[in-house]
Every structure is written in C-alpha cells, then in structure tokens.
Amino acid sequence: MATTKKNVGSDDYALSRVPRDKRLGFWTMLLQWLAQSGSISQFTLGATIGVGMTFGDAFLAFTLGAVILEVVIFLIGFAGMREGLSTPLLTRWVGFGRNGSALVSFVIAVSLVGWFGVQNTIFGNSVSSLVGGPSWLWCVVAGLAITVLVIFGFRYMAVFAKIVTPLFFAMVAWSVIDALSEHSLGDLISSPPPGQAIPLSVAATAIAGGYMTGAIVAPEMTRYNKKGSHVFLQTASSMILSEYIVGLTGVLLGHMVKSNEVSQIVLSTSGVFGVLVVLMSTAKINDWNLYGSSLGVVNFFQVVFKKRLHRGAVTIGLGIAGTLLSAVGIMTHFTDFLTVLGVAIPPIGGIIVAEYWVVRRMRGPLDATREAGTLPTTSPSWVPMSLVIWAAAFCVGKFYDGGIPALNSLATAFVLYTVLGLLGWVRTYGTTTLADDGEARPVAAEHTPVGAA
C-alpha cells in the first residue's frame, strides 16, 4: 500500500523548472529585488568610500560597480528566467555537466551558509548593543526566525519583502533627510575627502566584488520571473537604488561626519520602531543566503549521493547549524575563507554567460524541453576543461594585483571558455541519465565534443 511522504515547508522546485503558471508578477518580484538594496551595510560602504573620495569620484566608482553588476546579473538572471532553473541546476547543462554542478553547488552552498552565519553574528551583536541582552541569544532568535521563514519558501519571503521594504526606505529617508537638512548639500558634494585617498579601482572592487556572489546566484530569484524585460527593469531598479541612492547618500553622510560610522545617524531619529525595521531589513537580506544555500545542497546530494532531499528539511539543518555557530562566535573566524570563496564564485558566472549566450553547444537539451516545462532526460557527466578554466580564473582573481579581483576572475573565465569553446576544445565526457526513481546512471563512457550529436 502506497504511503504519502509529508515534508515540512516548500520544496520550491529545487530540482525542476519553475512552471510558467507559478511565476510571480512584476511588482512582487520588484520588491524582492529592492529588498536586497536596503541595508545599513550599504550606507556604511558608501560612507567608507566617501571618507577617501570626492563625491564626483565616488559617483564614478558606483557607476562602474553598478554597470558591472547589472550586466552580470541580467545575463545570468535572464538565463535563469528563460529556463526556470536555479544556478546549481542550470550548470548541469550550461558549462559544467552533472558532476561539475555538484562542485558548483558545494562552493555556493558553503559560501552562502557561511555568510548567513556571519551576518547573523553581526545582527546579534547589533541588537545586543542597541537594546541589551547577550548577543548569543539574539543570534539564536534571529537565526531561527529566518530559518522558519525560508522553510516555507519563496512566496512567504516575497510577502515579508512587501512588508519590510517600504517601511525600511521610508524610515531611512526620514532619518537621513533630517540629518542632512542641517548642512548645505552643495558644500557636502564639493567638500574634499576627509580621510586617506582611496583609488578608483579599490572602490569599484568593494562595490562590484561585494555583491558578485549575489549576481551569480541571481537565477534563484529570476526563475520566478515571467519576462526578460521584467528581469532587466527590476535588477536595474535595484542597482539604481542600492548604488546611486543608498550608496551615494552614504558618501554624503561620510563627508558630513568625516567617518564611516554612520549607522547611528540612520537609527538615531527613528526610535524603537526604526531599529526594528532596520533589523528586519537585515534579516530580509540574510534569508537569501540561507535560501540559496539550501538549493545548492539539494543539487549536491542528488548528484553525489543519489538522494533526493526536500529543500525545506535541508533549510532546517542549515539554519540550525548556521545559527548555533554564529551564537558561539565561530563564524567570524571564517571570513577570510569566505572571502576566498568569493573569488572562486565569479568564474562560474563567466562560464555560464559564455556557454549560454555565446558558445551555445551544451544548452541544446534545455532548448528542446523548455516549452514542455520538463528537464532533459540526460546531461553530460563531466566537462573537465571547464574545471581547468575555473581554476585558472580563480588564480587570476586571487593572485593578480591589478584591477578588480572579482571582475578579473569572471572576465578570465568568460574569455577562456568562449575561445576554447568556439575552437571545440571544451568537450564533455560521458552522459548521465536520470531515472524515474531519482537515481543517476552513466550511459556512455566515451567523450564527445560539446554539442555533438
């Protein structure tokens, strides 16, 4: 007698396409993107840059960072929208093959759950300093609350964004306008930087590199979009708000107080309600770290262990682990390691863009099954050259001192994959079919060129 397996929360199409009739409307998705723009850390970034740059130079730095991010987010996010797939699943047919996608999933999952723990630690310490109580307790409260939200998936996260995003920006506008009203805006814009000069490349690195991981996992969100034009308008709006409005306001605040310690300005005139809104907004950003990590773990376990895990159950495990590690103060010791992973993730985006939009030799099965809303029954097992390109691009980003590390690694991967792919040097090895029982079985041992019949 058949039994029905019950799971907690939503699986959110972790190993399938998001059906067209389950996609969300423009305004719902827009608020999700805008929610990623609203955080005190972005004001602090702007103030840090403002301490070392004139307003005009800071404007150029934010423009460079915003353009880089928008190009990457749109090209990868558009692919996610067309296919209805998250980044880990997309890479099975776009650049990496089934087994390579497991490595991609592992790197993304570790990075995102790590940053979830780090952000949760910062969250707990901030609440402790503002309202009292042990920071570990606030870490537990915040971590478990975010975990519960993410368990129930994208739609509940969207509802949370609808509530928090307008409140956050209304409260911040009130606080910042009140603070700036006592100073001449023209004088602040024309004033020299109060601190040690920051080179344009360093500022652009902080701006573009700081959100590059978010850009690479954009499909986690855009797979719920209905149209490519929606992806462009929503991501561009997020960049404008995050970089030009929030970031440049931070620059003005930095010039005003001659320091990057501007968080108290945002909080000072807002009272307890303002503090609550800011903290909820921070949680709204951190929920995406946990959500993206859960999708990566689900794909990793299916590929490596042939186990089909429910995304909701994975979220519980990751959330509890990240929360406990943040509560005992361990996560802050891993920031250097997470920064290294931050250089390892951009090449994934370069390979995705090169394969999906330029080389276009592995995506044929996706094209054939897109209209039906199903997944291809087979995928390449390995694409060794992609792993070589990934490693080379990582080394460029990590050890080359010039330019922007995240952009250097991404561009290197894009150029290498495009050139080698068009020359036919990027080849797949083996084919894997996914049976109805979820078990992956190799069906071919010989290697074939990418896209070969």
Side-chain angles (χ1 to χ4, degrees), residues 2-284:
T3 58
T4 302
K5 184 178 181 180
K6 294 184 178 180
N7 292 286
V8 177
S10 172
D11 195 49
D12 267 4
Y13 311 102
L15 291 173
S16 62
R17 297 181 189 263
V18 176
R20 284 286 170 181
D21 61 352
K22 301 298 182 182
R23 308 290 178 97
L24 301 179
F26 177 85
W27 295 107
T28 296
M29 295 299 298
L30 176 63
L31 283 172
Q32 282 278 39
W33 277 105
L34 295 183
Q36 307 310 301
S37 307
S39 69
I40 297 299
S41 61
Q42 188 68 4
F43 282 100
T44 303
L45 173 62
T48 301
I49 291 173
V51 169
M53 304 185 81
T54 65
F55 185 85
D57 288 341
F59 182 88
L60 290 177
F62 275 106
T63 297
L64 178 59
V67 170
I68 292 171
L69 286 172
E70 176 58 22
V71 170
V72 175
I73 291 173
F74 177 69
L75 290 176
I76 297 178
F78 194 11
M81 183 280 302
R82 292 183 80 230
E83 306 301 341
L85 298 175
S86 64
T87 298
L89 201 56
L90 185 66
T91 56
R92 292 190 188 186
W93 296 275
V94 183
F96 289 89
R98 182 180 177 85
N99 296 330
S101 78
L103 185 57
V104 170
S105 298
F106 179 79
V107 171
I108 290 176
V110 171
S111 178
L112 292 179
V113 78
W115 285 117
F116 167 79
V118 170
Q119 290 293 328
N120 201 54
T121 300
I122 296 172
F123 186 104
N125 292 339
S126 299
V127 178
S128 178
S129 64
L130 288 169
V131 301
S135 60
W136 68 264
L137 177 61
W138 293 116
C139 285
V140 171
V141 171
L144 294 182
I146 296 172
T147 300
V148 170
L149 173 66
V150 176
I151 286 171
F152 292 99
F154 192 94
R155 291 182 179 272
Y156 284 84
M157 293 162 63
V159 172
F160 189 51
K162 289 180 180 179
I163 298 171
V164 172
T165 306
L167 288 175
F168 173 81
F169 285 108
M171 183 277 298
V172 167
W174 174 29
S175 300
V176 170
I177 291 173
D178 180 71
L180 293 177
S181 64
E182 301 176 2
H183 299 78
S184 168
L185 190 61
D187 289 345
L188 290 176
I189 291 176
S190 60
S191 63
Q196 184 176 357
I198 299 176
L200 179 63
S201 62
V202 174
T205 296
I207 295 165
Y211 192 68
M212 189 59 74
T213 297
I216 304 307
V217 297
E220 269 71 337
M221 190 180 299
T222 61
R223 65 198 180 116
Y224 280 92
N225 274 108
K226 294 180 178 180
K227 299 178 181 179
S229 59
H230 289 184
V231 174
F232 175 76
L233 291 173
Q234 290 158 5
T235 55
S237 297
S238 178
M239 286 298 103
I240 291 171
L241 181 60
S242 176
E243 313 303 336
Y244 289 108
I245 297 178
V246 176
L248 290 178
T249 298
V251 172
L252 294 177
L253 293 175
H255 281 202
M256 184 180 75
V257 302
K258 304 186 185 314
S259 168
N260 65 352
E261 298 295 331
V262 299
S263 59
Q264 290 302 321
I265 294 176
V266 180
L267 298 174
S268 60
T269 60
S270 307
V272 176
F273 175 73
V275 172
L276 179 62
V277 171
V278 170
L279 295 177
M280 290 175 66
S281 177
T282 304
K284 184 65 200 78

Side-chain angles (χ1 to χ4, degrees), residues 306-376:
K306 313 298 187 294
K307 298 294 184 181
R308 176 64 165 88
L309 301 182
H310 190 272
R311 193 204 60 84
V314 169
T315 299
I316 295 174
L318 292 175
I320 292 175
T323 298
L324 293 179
L325 290 175
S326 67
V328 298
I330 291 179
M331 293 308 301
T332 53
H333 298 292
F334 288 92
T335 51
D336 290 341
F337 173 66
L338 295 174
T339 300
V340 171
L341 288 184
V343 180
I345 290 177
I348 298 171
I351 292 173
I352 291 174
V353 173
E355 167 56 37
Y356 194 87
W357 295 111
V358 183
V359 179
R360 297 192 293 180
R361 294 186 179 179
M362 286 180 65
R363 58 174 264 192
L366 290 176
D367 294 336
T369 56
R370 186 183 308 119
E371 192 65 29
T374 60
L375 286 180

